Amino acid sequence: MLTDAQKQHYQRDGYIVLPDFKSAADIVTLRARAGQIVNEFDPKGAGIFSTVEQEKTTDDYFLRSDNTVRCFFEEEAFGPDGGLKQDKSLSINKIGHAMHDLDPVFRAFTADPRLVTVARDLGLADAKVWQSMYIFKQPGIGGEVRWHQDATYFDTDPVSVTTFWFALEDATLENGCMWAEPGGHRGPMRERFLRTGDHVRMEKLSDMPWPDDSTAVPLECKAGSLVCFHGLLPHYSAPNRSAFSRHAYTLHVTDGATDYSPLNWIQRDASFPVRGFL
Ligand code: FE2
């Protein structure tokens, strides 16, 4: 499916953008289902999601979302009185983390045979899909996602995690598109997110500084685009201060031939085994 030039681009830069991968109809269906999940969601006892102080903000609500479907609020969703500043449907940061296995509509979007081919072309002979997230990046309050590498959360030996990021709306500089450092995937893994039971911690592995806007590039893309990127590629996204949301759907995929760390925060067992795209 990928041309040799596309594969070389991926090897060199650590990411590739495939425009028009998903149809407008597929996007409408997924967005509608996400809207339903939020509509049915009871906010009592829910958590917020923040990547800035993740050890502190990680709680039972987050840890129990590993193999379920839960909604998380934006950090800035609440006013000083503790109430929502805007409608619930405009306050959710993301849904995670197992819709790809548990929700029929998300399952159908994920079970795309072309993804098997793309994954194989990127070096994943035996793709295993560990996590799905529906990211809202809400207008006005969509939070920053600080610089990180996705391999921090999905450690395998050797490194194999690859992110499949589907733009469900146009991603622009205004609404907080992703930024990445081309070629940065050839640098070291800087951090590892470790879970022991209900305790998590971030382990520092390297002093290599994060990139900044002088070497990073914005990954602006149209709705329907698929962005694939390497687990060691440093990336971040700025807060969304625009009047427009920036919905995206992501999958984190490893190669079954590698060793998946028993300290990764998402684990599966025989009762709910990790599966491929199909
Ligand atoms: Fe990420």
Side-chain angles (χ1 to χ4, degrees), residues 145-160:
V145 177
R146 71 166 179 90
W147 280 104
H148 67 282
Q149 297 159 303
D150 288 352
T152 288
Y153 301 93
F154 297 93
D155 183 27
T156 65
D157 186 17
V159 175
S160 68

Side-chain angles (χ1 to χ4, degrees), residues 148 150 229 235 252:
H148 67 282
D150 288 352
F229 58 95
H235 59 286
H252 286 98

Side-chain angles (χ1 to χ4, degrees), residues 105-266:
V105 176
F106 278 88
R107 178 85 225 128
F109 190 95
T110 307
D112 183 334
R114 297 173 303 162
L115 292 173
V116 179
T117 311
V118 172
R120 191 198 58 210
D121 288 349
L122 298 179
L124 300 167
D126 179 21
K128 300 289 185 197
V129 187
W130 288 94
Q131 169 178 275
S132 47
M133 295 192 286
Y134 188 103
I135 297 163
F136 290 86
K137 203 83 175 179
Q138 300 285 5
I141 61 166
E144 172 191 1
V145 177
R146 71 166 179 90
W147 280 104
H148 67 282
Q149 297 159 303
D150 288 352
T152 288
Y153 301 93
F154 297 93
D155 183 27
T156 65
D157 186 17
V159 175
S160 68
V161 69
T162 304
T163 305
F164 290 71
W165 189 99
F166 302 88
L168 306 176
E169 295 184 286
D170 294 352
T172 66
L173 283 171
E174 288 70 35
N175 68 5
C177 69
M178 243 183 332
W179 289 69
E181 181 194 29
H185 64 301
R186 290 192 290 270
M189 186 156 126
R190 291 163 175 81
E191 300 169 306
R192 189 162 45 186
F193 189 66
L194 304 169
R195 176 178 187 171
T196 314
D198 287 342
H199 181 73
V200 294
R201 68 189 172 92
M202 193 66 93
E203 178 187 35
K204 187 169 182 174
L205 301 175
S206 164
D207 285 327
M208 178 109 166
W210 294 110
D212 58 32
D213 293 3
S214 66
T215 52
V217 297
L219 300 182
E220 291 187 290
C221 60
K222 291 283 180 195
S225 302
L226 166 61
V227 183
C228 299
F229 58 95
H230 190 280
L232 291 177
L233 184 75
H235 59 286
Y236 100 109
S237 66
N240 180 8
R241 300 301 179 206
S242 81
F244 305 98
S245 56
R246 196 222 67 192
H247 291 198
Y249 176 57
T250 70
L251 298 168
H252 286 98
V253 184
T254 66
D255 188 345
T258 63
D259 289 326
Y260 185 83
S261 169
L263 297 176
N264 288 331
W265 84 278
I266 295 182

